[in-house]
Amino acid sequence: AEVRMEVEPCEVGAIVQKAVQAQENHAELKKQSLEVQIATDLPPVVGNPVRLGQVVSNLLSNAIKYTPTGGHISVSVTAQDGEQIVLAVRDDGIGISQDDLPHIFDKFYRADRPETADIVGSGLGLSIVKTIVEKHQGRTWVESQLGKGTTFTIVLPVSYTHLRAHETSLHL
């Protein structure tokens, strides 16, 4: 399906705060600590605030789901050389096996593990995250160790001229 995506200058810090507020209750129910660090004076990125919010919400929701009760989740947003925004979502949850890592962004992929059997999901979230990030000319990757936790990192360019200022198409 093709989704038209209006783009505009976006404040990633505000988008992250909104997503965190929407997920805070889920973390509290599991007695997880949720730490948020947003650098001041972040330059805006050209993008779609709703879609970027969807990316942050998805990563946060996963971190909460796959982190046991009492775990710790942190979200940080920093600027790099004034040219990129770096967003990282870290957790000390169950982690992702080395076998599963290469497939984690594939459509419908779900790790087949006893610890995740009762966690509901379509296996679409991370493939959508990757698609949205790439439509914003960004990159995303994951680092993880079983039993130690996972970090998803997203790097978004601050400005790019080849994207028309008003809309682009998003194929999901």
Side-chain angles (χ1 to χ4, degrees):
E2 189 172 309
V3 181
R4 308 252 356 125
M5 186 173 78
E6 299 279 325
V7 296
E8 62 191 64
C10 300
E11 299 295 336
V12 177
I15 290 169
V16 167
Q17 276 172 324
K18 192 173 165 187
V20 167
Q21 282 163 353
Q23 300 277 349
E24 265 172 342
N25 290 348
H26 299 291
E28 277 173 26
L29 286 171
K30 289 182 78 176
K31 300 185 172 31
Q32 295 164 338
S33 59
L34 187 51
E35 181 190 348
V36 183
Q37 291 177 309
I38 298 172
T40 51
D41 301 331
L42 290 171
V45 300
V46 175
N48 181 287
V50 173
R51 294 294 177 191
L52 289 172
Q54 197 181 344
V55 164
V56 181
S57 291
N58 188 290
L59 294 180
L60 261 176
S61 165
N62 279 354
I64 292 165
K65 270 195 241 178
Y66 294 105
T67 299
T69 302
H72 181 74
I73 296 159
S74 71
V75 183
S76 67
V77 188
T78 53
Q80 214 173 31
D81 310 326
E83 291 174 19
Q84 296 178 320
I85 298 284
V86 181
L87 164 68
V89 179
R90 296 181 183 82
D91 66 59
D92 59 3
I94 63 173
I96 301 163
S97 75
Q98 297 307 302
D99 292 346
D100 290 320
L101 274 176
H103 307 287
I104 207 74
F105 292 106
D106 297 354
K107 242 183 199 174
F108 303 116
Y109 187 80
R110 294 202 60 201
D112 184 17
R113 292 173 45 202
E115 310 91 304
T116 61
D118 59 345
I119 295 176
V120 177
S122 63
L124 272 175
L126 290 175
S127 90
I128 291 172
V129 162
K130 187 175 199 279
T131 302
I132 293 171
V133 168
E134 288 175 353
K135 282 287 172 187
H136 285 82
Q137 309 303 316
R139 295 179 299 129
T140 182
W141 65 92
V142 60
E143 295 155 282
S144 188
Q145 273 188 297
L146 268 184
K148 299 220 169 124
T150 302
T151 301
F152 280 93
T153 306
I154 290 172
V155 176
L156 296 170
V158 167
S159 64
Y160 40 95
T161 50
H162 59 277
L163 182 64
R164 291 202 317 262
H166 299 302
E167 58 182 46
T168 178
S169 293
L170 185 63
H171 293 275
L172 292 179

